[in-house]
Amino acid sequence: MTGGSTRAAEHDHASAARARERRWWLLVAVGALVVVASYVGLVLTPAGQAVENAALRGADQVGAQARTDSDEALASVTVASLAVACVVIAVVGLLRRSIPLATAALGTVVASLLVTEVLKRVVLRRPALVEASAAYTGNSFPSGHTTIALGVLAAALLLATWRSRGVVMFFVASWAVAIAGYTITSKWHRLSDTLGSAGIVLVVASLAALWLHRRGLVRRVETGGHRARIWLVVVPLVLSLLVGVGLAVVLLVATGDLLDRDPVTEDNVFLAFQLLAGVGSVATTLALWWSWHRLEVATPPDDVARRPLGRTPPVDRSTPTRSTPTRSAT
């Protein structure tokens, strides 16, 4: 390889690395914006508080069996189950022979939950801007359950190889999206809480990816094919996002006055917000998948076989020695 072609290859490699880095920084900004917008728009305004309280009253109309199923699903997310999930995440990272990968995946779950709890219990408050019963006045922003579910999802996508990511996303995303909706059904949380949690996980997971990238542990996957995961996992998620947003908009527009103290209005607001809570988790899943598309964390011995994006291996720039042909004896 000539010096010019070598420099061109290095330039292309560095450009690709910067493009990936910009992608994760973009998600950090989007996640932070979601947290701020959901808190300011729905918690710090009278209209936001009133419409979320209407959704809580609408949840009172949920059937007994649906409420029981929702409560049981949320009750399964405990300190013990979280500890088990963390152990599994750490073990999988170590089985892939990468302490940094295990650290990043486990740190995504722990840091996301830590930020959520600090914001909810120490930093943020829910001012009394509208008349409401005592049950509706406490601060619940962000949602710990949604943070745990999406944090585990982010960690799973980080741990998965490019080939296995579709299968992992199918199963874990289904659970994570359901948890977000259940928090609305059981009246454990409001829509703003779930959106805030989604934003927090997006920020922390993207920072973890950037950390791995800066360590030179992220590589591009050049293998082609495997379009089945797009059609079987990603496309259904995109369609569910579009349908969820569409149905929520129809419900809210058809309702008219969202603050009307009417059982039908409150039920429509509840159904719309439940859909939007799920949509927020679906959007987070797709954003995380997009940020890692055609990428995975390099682990030994694979990191020797393929070039990582974060670092360029040293190039021998010495002048090649001209070999003298050996004259055979005749």
Side-chain angles (χ1 to χ4, degrees), residues 153-177:
L153 169 66
L157 294 180
L158 197 64
L159 292 169
T161 63
W162 178 73
R163 294 179 181 275
S164 63
R165 191 170 294 140
V167 176
V168 171
M169 188 165 67
F170 175 80
F171 288 103
V172 184
S174 300
W175 168 73
V177 172

Side-chain angles (χ1 to χ4, degrees), residues 51-63 67 136 184-185 187 262-271:
V51 74
E52 287 200 310
N53 288 344
L56 290 175
R57 291 192 297 271
D60 290 332
Q61 303 178 48
V62 173
R67 176 65 60 80
Y136 294 171
I184 308 296
T185 301
K187 301 175 62 174
D262 176 76
V264 175
T265 297
E266 293 170 350
D267 186 49
N268 287 345
V269 174
F270 156 70
L271 293 173

Side-chain angles (χ1 to χ4, degrees), residues 16-61:
R18 287 193 296 269
R20 303 301 178 187
E21 191 167 307
R22 287 194 297 269
R23 181 178 296 187
W24 281 310
W25 279 120
L26 173 62
L27 292 185
V28 169
V30 170
L33 180 62
V34 169
V35 174
V36 173
S38 57
Y39 181 69
V40 173
L42 293 173
V43 180
L44 297 185
T45 63
Q49 288 194 11
V51 74
E52 287 200 310
N53 288 344
L56 290 175
R57 291 192 297 271
D60 290 332
Q61 303 178 48

Side-chain angles (χ1 to χ4, degrees), residues 139-158:
N139 179 51
S140 57
F141 181 95
S143 164
H145 280 73
T146 305
T147 297
I148 291 173
L150 290 177
V152 169
L153 169 66
L157 294 180
L158 197 64

